[in-house]
Amino acid sequence: MSEPLTLRIAHLYAHFLNIYGDRGNLITLLQRSAWRGIGVTVDPIGLNEDFDPAMFDIYFIGGGQDKQQQIIAADLNCRRKKLHEAVNGGSVILAVCGGYQLLGHYYRPASGDELAGISLIDAWTVAGSRRMIGNVVVRRPDGSTLVGFENHSGRTFLGKDVEPLGRVITGNGNNGDDHLEGTAQAVGRGKVFGTYLHGSLLPKNPIFADELIALGLARRHNSVKLPPLDDALENEAHERALRLRA
Ligand code: GLN
């Protein structure tokens, strides 16, 4: 009898980085796990709340306006050591937009002080003069596509050894210049996924959602092959989004 599968997810700063509907990503991870009989939990980790880095398989941090980022940045830096320890030990992070920006070295907003990031990835972000808003289509290295919606003024640049999540087909992505979007960077035994794709991202990108679930499960269970789900509706939504203009 194989061991029952469990998946433990931490939601960082749920009450602050939450204005772009990114909690839909958690709903997707919960539902796609529950449909497979996986025992999945989501625990919020807020300001001044500590956590055991050995506890969680997946960490999620959403997007937010500069103001919310300013509120949480100092606290996130207090968690820096534990988040590095968690990812090096095999955990996965999915970070969207404002959360993604703070995983790099810094985020320099259009006004106010530069915000220190936790340097989990070799990247940095500087606000540009124009806001990048619209539909985005990204081609991943395996040829699959991601669809979503971007709304950011920050322009993120990746260090030379950092893997992007994919190449932009429609829209701006990281900075509107290098045609790269996000990051999919192995760190120790774990992985850091950053992206500018709101939407929320995962409901219309079931392949990526399942990649995150499988990676999260692999931290404490032997590598798991997820049974397929009926993704007709998700794939229809994905195909329609592919046809949207930027
Ligand atoms: N405030 C950041 C920016 O404007 C992040 C925005 C977001 O999370 N959508 O770039």
Side-chain angles (χ1 to χ4, degrees):
M1 164 82 172
S2 59
E3 58 180 345
L5 293 176
T6 59
L7 186 65
R8 302 176 197 148
I9 304 172
H11 186 183
L12 298 169
Y13 308 110
H15 299 298
F16 291 95
L17 299 180
N18 63 3
I19 63 164
Y20 293 94
D22 296 321
R23 61 187 295 275
N25 295 309
L26 289 166
I27 295 169
T28 303
L29 293 173
L30 280 167
Q31 188 59 67
R32 295 185 72 82
S33 299
W35 277 331
R36 292 165 164 126
I38 297 167
V40 55
T41 53
V42 175
D43 289 274
I45 299 177
L47 283 179
N48 307 312
E49 289 182 4
D50 212 351
F51 63 91
D52 174 358
M55 179 69 184
F56 297 105
D57 306 308
I58 297 177
Y59 293 79
F60 175 73
I61 181 168
Q65 297 174 108
D66 291 1
K67 184 170 176 301
Q68 284 84 13
Q69 289 173 281
Q70 285 154 3
I71 291 170
I72 67 105
D75 192 85
L76 183 65
N77 272 274
C78 295
R79 317 288 158 221
R80 175 193 185 118
K81 185 172 177 298
K82 288 192 172 179
L83 284 169
H84 278 251
E85 184 181 333
V87 177
N88 279 293
S91 297
V92 176
I93 290 193
L94 174 63
V96 180
C97 204
Y100 165 37
Q101 294 170 341
L102 293 175
L103 298 191
H105 304 308
Y106 60 81
Y107 168 46
R108 192 174 297 150
S111 61
D113 297 338
E114 180 176 291
L115 301 179
I118 62 170
S119 297
L120 195 54
I121 50 171
D122 177 18
W124 57 98
T125 301
V126 179
S129 56
R130 72 183 175 98
R131 200 155 184 87
M132 291 170 271
I133 300 175
N135 296 300
V136 184
V137 176
V138 175
R139 174 85 60 199
R140 298 195 66 192
D142 67 1
S144 64
T145 47
L146 293 172
V147 295
F149 187 85
E150 64 185 333
N151 179 345
H152 57 108
S153 64
R155 303 172 70 237
T156 296
F157 300 89
L158 302 181
K160 65 180 175 56
D161 299 326
V162 178
E163 288 299 317
L165 186 59
R167 296 192 66 82
V168 175
I169 297 173
T170 302
N172 295 281
N174 281 341
N175 52 54
D177 286 336
D178 61 16
H179 306 293
L180 300 179
E181 158 51 21
T183 183
Q185 183 58 37
V187 175
R189 292 192 293 119
K191 200 153 188 179
V192 175
F193 292 99
T195 182
Y196 274 109
L197 299 190
H198 298 291
S200 47
L201 172 65
L202 296 181
K204 295 190 291 292
N205 297 289
I207 294 172
F208 186 38
D210 284 353
E211 180 181 348
L212 292 167
I213 293 170
L215 287 171
L217 287 170
R219 185 177 81 100
R220 291 181 295 118
H221 302 287
N222 296 326
S223 67
V224 174
K225 184 156 175 46
L226 293 177
L229 296 173
D230 173 4
D231 283 333
L233 190 58
E234 292 82 353
N235 293 333
E236 171 67 16
H238 186 100
E239 291 304 315
R240 287 175 184 246
L242 283 175
R243 297 194 286 271
L244 297 172
R245 279 194 294 280

